């Protein structure tokens, strides 16, 4: 049966509506800024007050104007938009100011010498010295932590998702992982110390592997959780497709599940590494301080950047050499931030490289 | 060597939920058997229990007997992995592997099982399988591109190619044409006709004409009532089911006077 074409109903609906000019937002912004400055000057208040008044005027002004011209739906939309952007800017302020401060204070300190020298013989001098040993220590201890935590974490997550689903053991493990997430980092350090006191009979053991163990304890829950989430994202259809081809379960996990989720896994693991790279408290306890690079993780103290920053800070009040110690603190802080940011960047790049491609 | 399948008193459960009750069928070797019936009556469930894919779902289990060429499928010593190598499956929803190219997807069954083969042998398998699934002409210039970059219907044909690439003895197809246009559908039906000379094929379809065109035997599944388990209402040669069925419900369903 053919469809009857329907005659257009009378009084057809309008699909046009009033619209603010495209420059409306900047116009209101300029207007609001002006009001904020004027009101601030009149009231004799500071910058913060001015910004707040300007923001209030901007949000209200845009809402009222939009409501009269465009109607209430668009007015709400614009207001929500403004609020979301403000929240974003508010959240960015501390981050940006932190980065700017560290770069401004630490940037001039960075020099090839600062990066390639250690503190042997420089500790009490008003010049020279560097953080080579601390950079290498941080890299070594973090790498040790990753070597311990990443395989254990990935295998645990594989068990939880692929084998343990719904089993009591899996529930117990999940609970313990949750508990582990809450371990204070200093307690992880204490654990490493007491472990090596028991093992080595030394009264106060200092060694790099202890730092690796303490950090791996802190990393483990993050790794397990993020890998678990990534494995859960792999659609069951893919596992079934593989089983239906007669592929055993372990090969399905290795060849289908892991490759499909590798981008997320690598990203999660890298972020977990970045998270512990700046950890201070446990390293202070178990790694201690040392003026030069110590490549032997099984013997002797290892200097790391966070601990270097912490111990240097106590020298900044030195009557004569306080300034150079202040420089050292900011320089080391900048390097630490660069390392952590580089890890984050690597995580993003890896995530993009490994992401399943859908293009032609 | 195609195989026959005998199903006796099969009850299929999801946890405590009895999804399908008391199925008895005899699927002949080198024939096409169609399962038809309304949505949710357990066609996919029965199909999945024929190559032990059902138990992949946590809590899912069956009771009863399935025999493939006389061998009990659910006997204790049977390795489900070995079963699935001989009884292939095409799923209701296309599921190509997202990390693999078109070429690798077709070869997945061989590669994932670490079967060694030369380049020319692999190329042969890929071309033959893709031609069989009527996909070759569309993708022959971009075999290295990701399988996920294909349209839904193309993905489904890729999955068919993947299933026939391992040359199973029985092929289970769950609505393989539900996402396909008439041309590809008829290509898949041609393929089924071709495969029939060597394989045993079981196909689930919502398309009566398709069931009538391709199958030798037809099973009609139905729910007794809402909330009751599904059951096999009638199993007969296709010509009989579509011209003179034993059961009234079957008659109503195939003639479109249902519900
Ligand atoms: N994974 C599952 N867990 C629990 N119950 C399920 C599951 N899969 C299917 N069922 C139930 O089993 C019954 C049969 O489902 P099945 O998928 O076999 O139907 P179908 O006949 O293939 O339907 P359709 O034609 O829509 O594909 C339905 O009641 C469904 O809700
Ligand atoms: Mg189905």
């Amino acid at each position: 049966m053919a469809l009857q074409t329907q005659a257009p109903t009378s009084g057809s609906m309008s699909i046009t509506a009033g619209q603010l000019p495209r420059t409306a937002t900047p116009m209101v912004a300029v207007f609001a800024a002006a009001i904020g400055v004027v009101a601030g000057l009149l009231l004799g208040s500071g910058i913060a007050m001015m910004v707040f008044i300007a923001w209030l005027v901007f949000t209200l002004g845009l809402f009222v104007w939009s409501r009269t011209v465009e109607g209430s739906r668009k007015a709400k939309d614009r207001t929500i938009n403004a609020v979301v952007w403000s929240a974003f800017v508010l959240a960015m302020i501390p981050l940006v100011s932190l980065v700017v401060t560290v770069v401004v204070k630490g940037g001039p300190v960075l020099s090839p010498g600062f990066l390639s020298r250690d503190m042997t013989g420089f500790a009490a001098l008003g010049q020279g010295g560097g953080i080579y040993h601390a950079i290498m220590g941080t890299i070594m201890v973090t790498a040790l932590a990753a070597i311990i935590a990443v395989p254990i974490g990935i295998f645990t997550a594989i068990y939880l998702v692929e084998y343990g689903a719904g089993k009591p053991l899996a529930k117990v493990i999940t609970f313990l992982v949750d508990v582990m997430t809450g371990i204070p980092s200093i307690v992880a350090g204490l654990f490493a110390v007491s472990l090596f006191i028991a093992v080595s009979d030394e009264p106060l053991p200092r060694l790099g592997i202890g730092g690796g163990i303490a950090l791996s304890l802190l990393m483990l829950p993050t790794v397990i959780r993020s890998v678990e989430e990534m494995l859960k994202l792999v659609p069951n259809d893919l596992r079934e497709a593989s089983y239906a081809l007669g592929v055993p379960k372990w090969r399905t996990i290795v060849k289908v599940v892991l490759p499909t989720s590798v981008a997320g896994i690598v990203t999660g693991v890298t972020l977990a590494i970045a998270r512990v790279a700046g950890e201070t408290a446990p390293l202070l306890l178990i790694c201690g301080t040392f003026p030069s690079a110590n490549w032997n993780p099984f013997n002797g103290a290892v200097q790391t950047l966070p601990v270097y920053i912490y111990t240097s800070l106590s020298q900044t009040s030195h009557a004569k050499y306080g300034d150079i110690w202040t420089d050292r603190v900011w320089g080391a802080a900048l390097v630490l931030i660069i390392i952590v940011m580089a890890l984050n960047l690597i995580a993003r790049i890896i995530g993009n490289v490994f992401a399943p491609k859908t293009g032609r | 060597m195609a195989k026959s399948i005998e199903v006796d008193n099969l009850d299929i459960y999801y946890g405590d939920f009895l999804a399908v009750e008391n199925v008895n069928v005899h699927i002949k070797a080198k024939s096409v058997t169609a399962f038809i019936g309304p949505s949710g009556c357990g066609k996919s469930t029965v199909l999945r229990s024929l190559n032990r894919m059902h138990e992949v779902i946590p809590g899912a289990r069956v009771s009863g007997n399935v025999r493939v060429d006389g061998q009990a499928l659910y006997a204790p010593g049977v390795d489900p992995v070995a079963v699935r190598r001989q009884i292939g499956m095409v799923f209701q929803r296309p599921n190509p592997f997202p990390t693999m190219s078109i070429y690798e997807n077709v070869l997945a069954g061989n590669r994932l099982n670490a079967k060694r083969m030369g380049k020319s042998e692999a190329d042969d398998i890929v071309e033959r399988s893709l031609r069989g699934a009527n996909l070759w002409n569309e993708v022959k210039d971009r075999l290295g591109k990701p399988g996920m970059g294909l349209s839904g219907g193309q993905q489904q044909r890729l999955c068919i190619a993947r299933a026939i690439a391992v040359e199973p003895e029985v092929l289970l197809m769950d609505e393989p044409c539900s996402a396909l246009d008439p041309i590809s559908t008829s290509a898949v039906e041609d393929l089924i006709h071709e495969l029939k000379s060597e394989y045993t094929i079981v196909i689930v379809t919502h398309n009566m004409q398709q069931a009538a065109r391709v199958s030798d035997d037809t099973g009609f599944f139905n729910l007794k009532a809402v909330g009751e388990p599904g059951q096999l209402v009638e199993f007969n040669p296709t010509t009989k089911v579509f011209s003179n069925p034993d059961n009234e419900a079957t008659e109503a369903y195939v003639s479109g006077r249902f519900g």
Side-chain angles (χ1 to χ4, degrees):
Chain A
M1 206 170 49
L3 273 177
Q4 208 86 39
T5 42
Q6 207 157 2
T9 43
S10 57
S12 64
M13 213 166 38
S14 164
I15 54 168
T16 57
Q19 225 173 357
L20 292 187
R22 286 169 58 118
T23 51
T25 310
M27 275 159 68
V28 177
V30 170
F31 172 72
I35 298 244
V37 171
V38 172
L41 288 179
L42 286 181
L43 296 172
S45 53
I47 290 264
M49 195 62 197
M50 289 185 194
V51 171
F52 179 70
I53 293 175
W55 180 82
L56 217 59
V57 171
F58 173 77
T59 317
L60 277 179
L62 200 59
F63 179 79
V64 171
W65 190 16
S66 169
R67 186 171 177 124
T68 47
V69 179
E70 296 181 318
S72 87
R73 178 171 55 83
K74 286 202 170 174
K76 276 185 213 146
D77 183 43
R78 280 181 190 274
T79 311
I80 298 290
N81 229 322
V83 170
V84 169
W85 272 101
S86 321
F88 167 69
V89 170
L90 218 54
M92 289 304 287
I93 289 174
L95 177 65
V96 170
S97 97
L98 182 144
V99 170
V100 167
T101 316
V102 176
V103 168
V104 166
K105 299 207 176 174
V109 184
L110 294 198
S111 66
F114 186 67
L115 296 177
S116 63
R117 277 197 295 265
D118 57 30
M119 292 302 285
T120 324
F122 290 109
L125 292 181
Q127 57 179 19
I131 56 168
Y132 171 78
H133 60 310
I135 298 177
M136 291 309 144
T138 285
I139 291 176
M140 184 179 81
V141 171
T142 314
L144 285 173
I147 290 170
I148 300 169
V150 171
I152 300 179
I154 290 181
F155 281 119
T156 308
I158 289 177
Y159 172 77
L160 288 178
V161 176
E162 304 290 335
Y163 292 94
K167 293 195 184 137
L169 179 59
K171 287 191 185 127
V172 171
I173 293 178
T174 308
F175 175 72
L176 291 180
V177 169
D178 284 345
V179 172
M180 251 179 116
T181 316
I183 293 184
S185 59
I186 190 117
V187 175
L190 282 176
F191 167 76
V193 170
S194 55
L195 177 71
F196 282 97
I197 287 178
V199 170
S200 72
D201 279 341
E202 273 180 58
L204 199 55
R206 295 260 195 251
L207 67 182
I209 185 73
I213 289 177
L215 292 190
S216 70
L217 233 56
L218 298 173
M219 256 180 91
L220 203 51
T222 330
V223 173
I224 295 176
R225 272 294 144 125
S226 60
V227 175
E228 201 186 343
E229 290 310 313
M230 288 305 135
L231 294 180
K232 278 186 191 158
L233 283 183
V234 176
N236 253 329
D237 290 6
L238 294 182
R239 296 189 181 91
E240 293 197 345
S242 179
Y243 296 150
L245 290 167
V247 182
K249 185 162 182 167
W250 68 272
R251 282 194 82 91
T252 301
I253 293 170
V254 174
K255 299 271 182 173
V256 175
V257 177
L258 289 180
T260 307
S261 54
V262 69
I265 291 177
V266 175
T267 308
V269 165
T270 317
L271 290 178
I273 295 174
R275 180 71 200 73
V276 296
E279 201 56 71
T280 319
L283 301 184
L284 199 60
L285 296 189
I286 183 74
C287 286
T289 68
F290 200 63
S292 63
N294 172 10
W295 287 107
N296 185 354
F298 300 102
N299 188 16
V302 175
Q303 184 68 290
T304 53
L305 279 170
V307 176
Y308 178 87
I309 294 172
Y310 176 81
T311 49
S312 301
L313 200 61
S314 61
Q315 307 283 334
T316 52
S317 56
H318 192 287
K320 209 160 144 205
Y321 302 135
D323 286 349
I324 177 88
W325 282 109
T326 310
D327 280 354
R328 285 170 183 157
V329 166
W330 286 110
L334 180 57
V335 171
L336 187 55
I337 288 189
I338 290 174
I339 291 179
V340 171
M341 288 220 171
L343 281 172
N344 279 287
L345 200 68
I346 291 172
R348 292 202 148 251
I349 293 172
I350 292 175
N352 281 336
V353 170
F354 282 122
K357 291 157 194 71
T358 51
R360 305 199 133 221
Chain B
M1 242 280 293
K3 302 202 165 182
S4 65
I5 304 177
E6 267 166 87
V7 181
D8 289 325
N9 301 322
L10 191 67
D11 295 336
I12 312 178
Y13 298 84
Y14 290 101
D16 295 332
F17 172 63
L18 177 60
V20 189
E21 191 179 42
N22 196 22
V23 176
N24 294 283
V25 224
H26 178 79
I27 294 166
K28 293 195 283 287
K30 298 193 184 184
S31 75
V32 179
T33 304
F35 288 166
I36 58 173
S39 182
C41 63
K43 306 177 295 295
S44 302
T45 305
V46 171
L47 201 68
R48 290 166 59 96
S49 66
L50 299 183
N51 68 341
R52 298 200 53 172
M53 279 301 290
H54 179 65
E55 66 206 51
V56 167
I57 296 166
R61 66 200 164 83
V62 306
S63 79
N65 266 319
V66 179
R67 279 194 301 279
V68 177
D69 261 6
Q71 270 191 302
L73 199 61
Y74 285 91
V78 173
D79 178 9
V81 171
V83 170
R84 292 176 203 138
R85 284 190 189 158
Q86 294 170 29
I87 308 184
M89 180 156 205
V90 176
F91 291 84
Q92 193 162 353
R93 272 176 298 178
N95 49 6
F97 296 119
T99 51
M100 298 184 194
S101 66
I102 295 171
Y103 187 92
E104 291 165 334
N105 257 293
V106 177
L107 284 180
N110 298 303
R111 290 268 166 87
L112 290 180
N113 283 314
K115 200 170 154 196
R116 301 215 165 270
M117 58 171 81
K119 173 94 175 91
S120 64
E121 191 192 346
D123 288 349
D124 276 354
I125 293 179
V126 169
E127 177 166 355
R128 187 163 35 79
S129 309
L130 285 173
R131 277 192 196 283
N134 193 34
L135 188 59
W136 175 251
N137 287 327
E138 284 155 77
V139 300
K140 64 169 181 267
D141 301 321
R142 48 178 175 128
L143 292 174
K145 296 283 156 49
M148 292 297 277
L150 299 173
S151 78
Q154 288 172 326
Q155 288 183 18
Q156 183 63 301
R157 280 177 284 156
L158 181 61
C159 293
I160 294 174
R162 182 175 69 188
I164 57 180
V166 291
E167 304 190 348
E169 321 210 3
V170 180
L171 190 57
L172 309 174
M173 305 174 106
D174 198 349
E175 298 184 35
C177 301
S178 56
L180 301 189
D181 65 306
I183 298 169
S184 305
T185 301
S186 109
V188 172
E189 288 178 12
D190 288 348
L191 171 73
I192 292 174
H193 271 299
E194 244 169 71
L195 294 177
K196 191 173 115 172
S197 57
E198 287 174 58
Y199 305 112
T200 306
I201 295 172
V202 185
I203 177 172
V204 171
T205 176
H206 279 297
N207 181 333
M208 299 304 146
Q209 286 85 4
Q210 181 170 56
R213 278 194 301 265
V214 300
S215 69
D216 304 303
D217 296 307
T218 298
F220 172 61
F221 285 84
N222 202 358
L223 293 167
K224 243 187 290 182
V226 179
E228 301 268 310
Q231 37 180 218
L232 182 64
V233 173
E234 175 163 355
F235 188 79
N236 268 319
T238 301
T239 41
K240 181 165 167 58
V241 169
F242 282 91
S243 60
N244 179 26
D246 289 338
N247 190 291
E248 251 176 67
T250 316
E251 156 102 72
Y253 188 78
V254 297
S255 60
R257 291 185 283 108
F258 197 75

